[in-house]
CSV table of all heavy atoms in Angstrom, one decimal:
chain,number,residue,atom,x,y,z
A,76,VAL,N,-56.3,56.5,-129.6
A,76,VAL,CA,-57.8,56.2,-129.6
A,76,VAL,C,-58.1,54.9,-130.1
A,76,VAL,O,-58.9,54.1,-129.6
A,76,VAL,CB,-58.5,57.3,-130.4
A,76,VAL,CG1,-60.0,57.1,-130.5
A,76,VAL,CG2,-58.3,58.7,-129.8
A,77,LYS,N,-57.4,54.5,-131.2
A,77,LYS,CA,-57.5,53.2,-131.8
A,77,LYS,C,-56.2,52.5,-131.7
A,77,LYS,O,-55.3,52.8,-132.4
A,77,LYS,CB,-58.0,53.3,-133.3
A,77,LYS,CG,-59.3,53.9,-133.4
A,77,LYS,CD,-59.8,54.0,-134.8
A,77,LYS,CE,-61.2,54.6,-134.9
A,77,LYS,NZ,-61.7,54.8,-136.2
A,78,ALA,N,-56.1,51.5,-130.8
A,78,ALA,CA,-54.9,50.8,-130.5
A,78,ALA,C,-54.4,49.9,-131.6
A,78,ALA,O,-53.3,49.4,-131.4
A,78,ALA,CB,-55.0,50.1,-129.2
A,79,ASP,N,-55.1,49.7,-132.7
A,79,ASP,CA,-54.7,48.7,-133.6
A,79,ASP,C,-54.0,49.3,-134.8
A,79,ASP,O,-53.6,48.6,-135.8
A,79,ASP,CB,-55.9,47.9,-134.2
A,79,ASP,CG,-56.9,48.9,-134.9
A,79,ASP,OD1,-56.8,50.1,-134.7
A,79,ASP,OD2,-57.8,48.3,-135.6
A,80,ASN,N,-53.6,50.5,-134.6
A,80,ASN,CA,-52.7,51.2,-135.8
A,80,ASN,C,-51.3,51.3,-135.4
A,80,ASN,O,-51.0,52.2,-134.5
A,80,ASN,CB,-53.5,52.5,-136.1
A,80,ASN,CG,-52.8,53.1,-137.4
A,80,ASN,OD1,-51.6,53.4,-137.4
A,80,ASN,ND2,-53.6,53.4,-138.4
A,81,MET,N,-50.4,50.5,-135.9
A,81,MET,CA,-48.9,50.6,-135.5
A,81,MET,C,-48.3,52.0,-135.9
A,81,MET,O,-47.4,52.4,-135.2
A,81,MET,CB,-48.2,49.4,-136.1
A,81,MET,CG,-48.7,48.1,-135.6
A,81,MET,SD,-48.7,47.9,-133.8
A,81,MET,CE,-46.9,47.8,-133.6
A,82,GLU,N,-48.7,52.5,-136.9
A,82,GLU,CA,-48.1,53.8,-137.4
A,82,GLU,C,-48.5,54.9,-136.4
A,82,GLU,O,-47.7,55.7,-136.0
A,82,GLU,CB,-48.6,54.1,-138.8
A,82,GLU,CG,-47.8,55.3,-139.4
A,82,GLU,CD,-48.3,55.6,-140.9
A,82,GLU,OE1,-49.0,54.8,-141.4
A,82,GLU,OE2,-47.9,56.6,-141.4
A,83,ALA,N,-49.7,54.9,-136.0
A,83,ALA,CA,-50.2,55.9,-135.0
A,83,ALA,C,-49.5,55.6,-133.8
A,83,ALA,O,-49.1,56.5,-133.0
A,83,ALA,CB,-51.7,55.9,-134.9
A,84,ALA,N,-49.3,54.4,-133.3
A,84,ALA,CA,-48.6,54.1,-132.1
A,84,ALA,C,-47.2,54.6,-132.1
A,84,ALA,O,-46.7,55.2,-131.1
A,84,ALA,CB,-48.7,52.6,-131.8
A,85,ALA,N,-46.5,54.4,-133.2
A,85,ALA,CA,-45.2,55.0,-133.3
A,85,ALA,C,-45.2,56.4,-133.3
A,85,ALA,O,-44.2,57.0,-132.6
A,85,ALA,CB,-44.5,54.4,-134.6
A,86,LEU,N,-46.1,57.1,-133.9
A,86,LEU,CA,-46.2,58.6,-133.8
A,86,LEU,C,-46.4,59.1,-132.4
A,86,LEU,O,-45.8,60.0,-131.9
A,86,LEU,CB,-47.3,59.0,-134.8
A,86,LEU,CG,-47.6,60.5,-134.8
A,86,LEU,CD1,-46.5,61.2,-135.5
A,86,LEU,CD2,-48.9,60.8,-135.5
A,87,VAL,N,-47.2,58.4,-131.7
A,87,VAL,CA,-47.6,58.8,-130.2
A,87,VAL,C,-46.2,58.6,-129.4
A,87,VAL,O,-45.9,59.5,-128.7
A,87,VAL,CB,-48.7,57.9,-129.7
A,87,VAL,CG1,-48.7,58.0,-128.2
A,87,VAL,CG2,-50.0,58.3,-130.3
A,88,VAL,N,-45.6,57.5,-129.6
A,88,VAL,CA,-44.3,57.3,-128.9
A,88,VAL,C,-43.3,58.5,-129.2
A,88,VAL,O,-42.6,59.1,-128.3
A,88,VAL,CB,-43.7,56.0,-129.1
A,88,VAL,CG1,-42.3,55.9,-128.5
A,88,VAL,CG2,-44.6,54.9,-128.5
A,89,ASP,N,-43.1,58.8,-130.4
A,89,ASP,CA,-42.2,59.8,-130.9
A,89,ASP,C,-42.5,61.1,-130.4
A,89,ASP,O,-41.7,61.9,-129.8
A,89,ASP,CB,-42.0,59.7,-132.4
A,89,ASP,CG,-41.0,60.7,-132.9
A,89,ASP,OD1,-39.8,60.7,-132.3
A,89,ASP,OD2,-41.2,61.5,-133.9
A,90,ILE,N,-43.7,61.5,-130.6
A,90,ILE,CA,-44.2,62.9,-130.2
A,90,ILE,C,-44.2,63.0,-128.6
A,90,ILE,O,-43.7,64.0,-128.1
A,90,ILE,CB,-45.6,63.2,-130.7
A,90,ILE,CG1,-45.5,63.4,-132.2
A,90,ILE,CG2,-46.1,64.4,-130.0
A,90,ILE,CD1,-46.8,63.7,-133.0
A,91,ASN,N,-44.6,62.0,-127.9
A,91,ASN,CA,-44.6,62.1,-126.5
A,91,ASN,C,-43.1,62.1,-126.0
A,91,ASN,O,-42.9,62.9,-125.0
A,91,ASN,CB,-45.3,60.9,-125.9
A,91,ASN,CG,-46.8,61.0,-125.9
A,91,ASN,OD1,-47.4,62.1,-126.2
A,91,ASN,ND2,-47.5,59.9,-125.7
A,92,ARG,N,-42.2,61.5,-126.6
A,92,ARG,CA,-40.8,61.6,-126.2
A,92,ARG,C,-40.3,63.0,-126.4
A,92,ARG,O,-39.7,63.6,-125.5
A,92,ARG,CB,-40.0,60.6,-127.0
A,92,ARG,CG,-38.5,60.7,-126.6
A,92,ARG,CD,-37.7,59.7,-127.6
A,92,ARG,NE,-37.8,60.1,-129.0
A,92,ARG,CZ,-37.3,61.2,-129.6
A,92,ARG,NH1,-36.5,62.0,-128.9
A,92,ARG,NH2,-37.5,61.4,-130.9
A,93,GLN,N,-40.7,63.6,-127.5
A,93,GLN,CA,-40.2,64.9,-127.8
A,93,GLN,C,-40.9,66.0,-127.0
A,93,GLN,O,-40.3,66.9,-126.4
A,93,GLN,CB,-40.5,65.3,-129.3
A,93,GLN,CG,-39.6,64.4,-130.2
A,93,GLN,CD,-39.9,64.8,-131.6
A,93,GLN,OE1,-39.8,66.0,-132.1
A,93,GLN,NE2,-40.0,63.7,-132.5
A,94,ARG,N,-42.2,65.8,-126.6
A,94,ARG,CA,-42.9,66.7,-125.7
A,94,ARG,C,-42.2,66.5,-124.3
A,94,ARG,O,-42.0,67.7,-123.8
A,94,ARG,CB,-44.4,66.2,-125.6
A,94,ARG,CG,-45.2,66.7,-126.8
A,94,ARG,CD,-46.7,66.3,-126.5
A,94,ARG,NE,-47.5,66.8,-127.6
A,94,ARG,CZ,-48.8,66.7,-127.7
A,94,ARG,NH1,-49.5,66.2,-126.6
A,94,ARG,NH2,-49.5,67.1,-128.8
A,95,LYS,N,-41.9,65.4,-123.9
A,95,LYS,CA,-41.3,65.4,-122.5
A,95,LYS,C,-40.0,66.1,-122.5
A,95,LYS,O,-39.7,66.7,-121.4
A,95,LYS,CB,-41.1,63.8,-122.2
A,95,LYS,CG,-40.7,63.7,-120.7
A,95,LYS,CD,-40.8,62.3,-120.2
A,95,LYS,CE,-40.4,62.3,-118.7
A,95,LYS,NZ,-40.7,61.0,-118.1
A,96,VAL,N,-39.2,66.0,-123.5
A,96,VAL,CA,-37.9,66.8,-123.5
A,96,VAL,C,-38.3,68.3,-123.4
A,96,VAL,O,-37.6,69.0,-122.6
A,96,VAL,CB,-37.1,66.4,-124.8
A,96,VAL,CG1,-36.0,67.4,-125.0
A,96,VAL,CG2,-36.6,65.0,-124.8
A,97,LYS,N,-39.2,68.7,-124.2
A,97,LYS,CA,-39.5,70.2,-124.2
A,97,LYS,C,-40.1,70.5,-122.8
A,97,LYS,O,-39.7,71.6,-122.3
A,97,LYS,CB,-40.5,70.6,-125.3
A,97,LYS,CG,-40.0,70.4,-126.7
A,97,LYS,CD,-39.0,71.5,-126.9
A,97,LYS,CE,-38.6,71.4,-128.4
A,97,LYS,NZ,-37.6,72.4,-128.7
A,98,TYR,N,-41.0,69.8,-122.3
A,98,TYR,CA,-41.6,70.1,-121.0
A,98,TYR,C,-40.5,70.1,-119.9
A,98,TYR,O,-40.5,71.0,-119.0
A,98,TYR,CB,-42.6,68.9,-120.6
A,98,TYR,CG,-43.9,68.9,-121.4
A,98,TYR,CD1,-44.6,67.7,-121.3
A,98,TYR,CD2,-44.3,69.9,-122.3
A,98,TYR,CE1,-45.8,67.7,-122.1
A,98,TYR,CE2,-45.4,69.8,-123.0
A,98,TYR,CZ,-46.2,68.7,-123.0
A,98,TYR,OH,-47.4,68.6,-123.6
A,99,GLN,N,-39.6,69.2,-120.0
A,99,GLN,CA,-38.4,69.2,-119.0
A,99,GLN,C,-37.6,70.5,-119.1
A,99,GLN,O,-37.2,71.0,-118.1
A,99,GLN,CB,-37.6,68.0,-119.1
A,99,GLN,CG,-36.6,67.8,-118.0
A,99,GLN,CD,-37.3,67.6,-116.7
A,99,GLN,OE1,-38.0,66.7,-116.4
A,99,GLN,NE2,-37.0,68.6,-115.7
A,100,GLU,N,-37.3,70.9,-120.4
A,100,GLU,CA,-36.6,72.1,-120.6
A,100,GLU,C,-37.3,73.4,-119.9
A,100,GLU,O,-36.7,74.1,-119.3
A,100,GLU,CB,-36.4,72.3,-122.1
A,100,GLU,CG,-35.4,71.5,-122.7
A,100,GLU,CD,-35.4,71.6,-124.2
A,100,GLU,OE1,-36.0,72.6,-124.8
A,100,GLU,OE2,-34.6,70.8,-124.9
A,101,ILE,N,-38.6,73.4,-120.2
A,101,ILE,CA,-39.4,74.4,-119.6
A,101,ILE,C,-39.4,74.4,-118.0
A,101,ILE,O,-39.1,75.4,-117.4
A,101,ILE,CB,-40.9,74.5,-120.1
A,101,ILE,CG1,-40.9,74.8,-121.6
A,101,ILE,CG2,-41.7,75.4,-119.4
A,101,ILE,CD1,-42.2,74.5,-122.3
A,102,ALA,N,-39.6,73.3,-117.5
A,102,ALA,CA,-39.6,73.0,-116.1
A,102,ALA,C,-38.2,73.5,-115.5
A,102,ALA,O,-38.2,74.1,-114.4
A,102,ALA,CB,-39.8,71.6,-115.7
A,103,ASN,N,-37.2,73.1,-116.2
A,103,ASN,CA,-35.8,73.5,-115.6
A,103,ASN,C,-35.6,75.0,-115.7
A,103,ASN,O,-35.1,75.5,-114.7
A,103,ASN,CB,-34.7,72.8,-116.5
A,103,ASN,CG,-34.7,71.3,-116.3
A,103,ASN,OD1,-35.2,70.8,-115.4
A,103,ASN,ND2,-34.0,70.6,-117.2
A,104,LYS,N,-36.1,75.6,-116.8
A,104,LYS,CA,-35.9,77.0,-116.9
A,104,LYS,C,-36.8,77.8,-115.8
A,104,LYS,O,-36.4,78.8,-115.4
A,104,LYS,CB,-36.3,77.6,-118.3
A,104,LYS,CG,-35.3,77.2,-119.3
A,104,LYS,CD,-35.8,77.7,-120.7
A,104,LYS,CE,-34.8,77.3,-121.8
A,104,LYS,NZ,-35.2,77.6,-123.2
A,105,GLN,N,-37.9,77.2,-115.5
A,105,GLN,CA,-38.9,77.8,-114.6
A,105,GLN,C,-38.6,77.4,-113.1
A,105,GLN,O,-39.3,77.8,-112.2
A,105,GLN,CB,-40.3,77.5,-115.0
A,105,GLN,CG,-40.7,78.1,-116.3
A,105,GLN,CD,-40.6,79.6,-116.3
A,105,GLN,OE1,-41.0,80.2,-115.3
A,105,GLN,NE2,-40.1,80.2,-117.3
A,106,ASN,N,-37.7,76.5,-113.0
A,106,ASN,CA,-37.4,75.9,-111.6
A,106,ASN,C,-38.6,75.4,-111.0
A,106,ASN,O,-39.0,75.7,-109.9
A,106,ASN,CB,-36.6,77.0,-110.8
A,106,ASN,CG,-36.0,76.4,-109.5
A,106,ASN,OD1,-35.5,75.2,-109.6
A,106,ASN,ND2,-36.0,77.1,-108.5
A,107,THR,N,-39.3,74.5,-111.7
A,107,THR,CA,-40.5,73.9,-111.2
A,107,THR,C,-40.5,72.4,-111.6
A,107,THR,O,-39.7,71.9,-112.3
A,107,THR,CB,-41.8,74.6,-111.8
A,107,THR,OG1,-42.9,74.2,-111.1
A,107,THR,CG2,-41.9,74.4,-113.2
A,108,GLN,N,-41.5,71.7,-111.1
A,108,GLN,CA,-41.6,70.2,-111.3
A,108,GLN,C,-42.1,70.0,-112.7
A,108,GLN,O,-43.0,70.8,-113.2
A,108,GLN,CB,-42.6,69.7,-110.3
A,108,GLN,CG,-42.2,69.8,-108.8
A,108,GLN,CD,-41.2,68.7,-108.5
A,108,GLN,OE1,-41.2,67.6,-109.0
A,108,GLN,NE2,-40.3,69.1,-107.6
A,109,LEU,N,-41.6,68.9,-113.3
A,109,LEU,CA,-42.1,68.5,-114.6
A,109,LEU,C,-43.6,68.3,-114.6
A,109,LEU,O,-44.3,68.7,-115.6
A,109,LEU,CB,-41.4,67.2,-115.0
A,109,LEU,CG,-41.9,66.5,-116.3
A,109,LEU,CD1,-41.6,67.4,-117.5
A,109,LEU,CD2,-41.2,65.2,-116.4
A,110,ALA,N,-44.2,67.8,-113.6
A,110,ALA,CA,-45.6,67.5,-113.4
A,110,ALA,C,-46.4,68.8,-113.6
A,110,ALA,O,-47.5,68.8,-114.2
A,110,ALA,CB,-46.0,66.8,-112.2
A,111,ASN,N,-45.9,69.9,-113.1
A,111,ASN,CA,-46.6,71.1,-113.2
A,111,ASN,C,-46.7,71.6,-114.7
A,111,ASN,O,-47.7,72.0,-115.2
A,111,ASN,CB,-45.9,72.3,-112.5
A,111,ASN,CG,-45.9,72.1,-111.0
A,111,ASN,OD1,-46.8,71.4,-110.5
A,111,ASN,ND2,-45.0,72.6,-110.3
A,112,ILE,N,-45.6,71.5,-115.4
A,112,ILE,CA,-45.6,71.8,-116.9
A,112,ILE,C,-46.5,70.9,-117.6
A,112,ILE,O,-47.3,71.3,-118.5
A,112,ILE,CB,-44.3,71.8,-117.4
A,112,ILE,CG1,-43.3,72.8,-116.6
A,112,ILE,CG2,-44.2,72.2,-118.9
A,112,ILE,CD1,-43.8,74.2,-116.5
A,113,GLU,N,-46.5,69.6,-117.4
A,113,GLU,CA,-47.3,68.6,-118.1
A,113,GLU,C,-48.8,68.9,-117.8
A,113,GLU,O,-49.6,68.8,-118.8
A,113,GLU,CB,-47.0,67.2,-117.5
A,113,GLU,CG,-45.6,66.7,-117.9
A,113,GLU,CD,-45.3,65.4,-117.2
A,113,GLU,OE1,-45.6,65.2,-116.1
A,113,GLU,OE2,-44.5,64.6,-117.8
A,114,LYS,N,-49.1,69.3,-116.6
A,114,LYS,CA,-50.6,69.6,-116.3
A,114,LYS,C,-51.0,70.8,-117.1
A,114,LYS,O,-52.1,70.8,-117.6
A,114,LYS,CB,-50.7,69.8,-114.8
A,114,LYS,CG,-52.1,70.1,-114.4
A,114,LYS,CD,-52.2,70.3,-112.9
A,114,LYS,CE,-53.6,70.4,-112.3
A,114,LYS,NZ,-54.1,71.7,-112.7
A,115,ILE,N,-50.3,71.8,-117.0
A,115,ILE,CA,-50.6,73.1,-117.8
A,115,ILE,C,-50.7,72.8,-119.2
A,115,ILE,O,-51.7,73.2,-119.9
A,115,ILE,CB,-49.7,74.1,-117.4
A,115,ILE,CG1,-49.8,74.6,-116.0
A,115,ILE,CG2,-49.9,75.4,-118.4
A,115,ILE,CD1,-48.7,75.5,-115.5
A,116,ALA,N,-49.7,72.1,-119.8
A,116,ALA,CA,-49.8,71.8,-121.2
A,116,ALA,C,-51.0,71.0,-121.5
A,116,ALA,O,-51.6,71.2,-122.6
A,116,ALA,CB,-48.4,71.2,-121.7
A,117,GLY,N,-51.2,70.0,-120.8
A,117,GLY,CA,-52.2,69.0,-120.9
A,117,GLY,C,-53.6,69.7,-121.0
A,117,GLY,O,-54.5,69.5,-121.8
A,118,GLU,N,-53.8,70.6,-120.1
A,118,GLU,CA,-55.1,71.4,-120.1
A,118,GLU,C,-55.3,72.1,-121.4
A,118,GLU,O,-56.4,72.2,-121.9
A,118,GLU,CB,-55.1,72.3,-118.8
A,118,GLU,CG,-55.3,71.6,-117.5
A,118,GLU,CD,-55.1,72.5,-116.3
A,118,GLU,OE1,-54.7,73.6,-116.4
A,118,GLU,OE2,-55.2,71.9,-115.2
A,119,LYS,N,-54.2,72.9,-121.8
A,119,LYS,CA,-54.3,73.7,-123.0
A,119,LYS,C,-54.6,72.8,-124.3
A,119,LYS,O,-55.3,73.1,-125.1
A,119,LYS,CB,-53.0,74.5,-123.2
A,119,LYS,CG,-52.9,75.6,-122.1
A,119,LYS,CD,-51.7,76.5,-122.4
A,119,LYS,CE,-51.6,77.6,-121.4
A,119,LYS,NZ,-52.7,78.6,-121.4
Side-chain angles (χ1 to χ4, degrees):
V76 175
K77 296 183 179 179
D79 62 345
N80 187 302
M81 295 305 289
E82 189 176 353
L86 179 66
V87 166
V88 169
D89 184 47
I90 290 176
N91 285 346
R92 180 187 54 77
Q93 293 181 50
R94 283 184 180 183
K95 186 168 187 170
V96 168
K97 293 289 185 183
Y98 295 161
Q99 188 63 62
E100 288 174 4
I101 294 169
N103 292 346
K104 287 180 185 176
Q105 296 299 318
N106 195 29
T107 191
Q108 299 280 326
L109 173 63
N111 294 336
I112 303 304
E113 291 168 331
K114 181 178 184 290
I115 293 168
E118 290 169 355
K119 290 182 181 293

